[in-house]
Amino acid sequence: MKTFQRVTGTNDLFPEDIKKFNYVTKIFEDVCRAFDYHEYETPTFEYTSVFQRGIGETTDIVNKEMFTFAPREDSGEKDTITLKPEGTAGFVRLYIQNGLNSTKPPQKIFYNTPCYRNERNQKGRFKEFHQFGVEALSSNSPTIDAEVIMIAYRFFERLGIADKVELEINSVGSFESRKLYNDKLREFLRPNFAHLCPTCQERFEKNPLRILDCKEDSCKKTTTDAPLMIDNLFEEEVAHFEKVKELLTSAGVKFKVNPLIVRGLDYYTKTAFEFISKDIGAQATVCGGGRYDGLVQELGGPEVSGIGFGLGQERLIMTLEELNKFPAFEQDYDLYIATLGDKADTTAFKIIDALRQKDVVCDQDHMKKSLKAQMRYANDKNAKYTLLLGDNEIETGKAALKNMENSEQTEVNIDTFVEEFLKIIGK
């Protein structure tokens, strides 16, 4: 008979994995709320045009990596549907559709959402992954740029890895300055067009800035000494970038200006940034984001600015594992009741039900094990206490409660055991 396997690029999560996800999620939520950001969520899928317009039709995500399917024929829907490959476009749709621009600005959003991309199998890349994200809309101030970066930085600080990730920042200009720069970049690349990889030859007309981000050796060699966007900014864009750097410096955040950061999405303007880890191999970007001043309008909304970031949880967890930064996750196991006989099973079941209502972690034998095997099980579970119930204990109404740490035994009354045990463990 065929044995089924999970789809490549996906993960089965076990209890120890869930604890790691819960750990980083709690810290991320705490940091975001301290910055007055509020949690929103969007559907797992959107109409495909949201991502085509929002992410950009020249991007690898739209061209190669989206999971797209047709709606039911009787639905009346003409647009195809796509599982979300990233968070920002969907949340901008939410912002527009629900009129959030009518609320007091800036609108501060954070989210924790699953994403889907048809990625090649590679360490740190998955077809299904989970993303933390932050979006701040309606402010074009450099202070909000710095604040969004600071959320990620303080998050890494709380995780104990701020000194293990490097912040790199750049300015990719406005649509206007980038148009002039793209013309200059094309002129530089044109004599060596044939040396560009097929993908970058397609990018040449649509978005030549992305060629600077190509990992192919031939493209890296061709772009050596290419003009840089950061040297072709308008005066206002230079001032904006200088203020962001000043604010980060004032907060004690170390960073490096990397003029080759362009990010993989078409909507970025001005500030772009990445947090880089050197501890998980080739896929080193743990967090990336930037400003997107034209995205809301591109999706049919008002002319408002925005900035945000996305942070892959799986890649973050890989980094924390490599650095041994997870605490020890210990499951409280307050009581195990070892039983012998049907009457003992019933009494134990009643006691356990009452204790569970008080959030006491407890259990009894469900496998008809021997008493010796039950005690081994309790020890394997690191139970703090065990209670032995058999025919004799049921008849006398008294039982022995054993402290598993020091082996001390205390005689308890079965009828009042729940109240007594709650006092013992301080609940």
Side-chain angles (χ1 to χ4, degrees), residues 32-62:
C32 287
R33 292 192 174 104
F35 281 76
D36 193 33
Y37 282 67
H38 304 272
E39 187 171 14
Y40 289 73
E41 184 56 283
T42 61
T44 302
F45 43 81
E46 300 273 355
Y47 289 119
T48 303
S49 53
V50 169
F51 302 119
Q52 290 172 330
R53 294 273 299 278
I55 298 174
E57 299 202 40
T58 66
T59 62
D60 288 345
I61 293 175
V62 170

Side-chain angles (χ1 to χ4, degrees), residues 69-123:
F69 55 95
R72 288 170 57 108
E73 291 184 3
D74 60 358
S75 68
E77 297 172 310
K78 297 181 180 179
D79 198 352
T80 57
I81 294 171
T82 295
L83 298 177
K84 68 171 84 167
E86 58 94 49
T88 299
F91 280 94
V92 170
R93 190 272 309 152
L94 175 152
Y95 171 87
I96 297 167
Q97 182 175 350
N98 294 280
L100 294 190
N101 61 298
S102 63
T103 61
K104 290 184 178 180
Q107 293 82 29
K108 297 181 172 184
I109 294 170
F110 80 88
Y111 55 87
N112 173 7
T113 191
C115 294
Y116 302 87
R117 295 184 192 177
N118 194 13
E119 296 270 20
R120 286 182 293 183
N121 295 332
Q122 190 175 352
K123 183 178 181 181

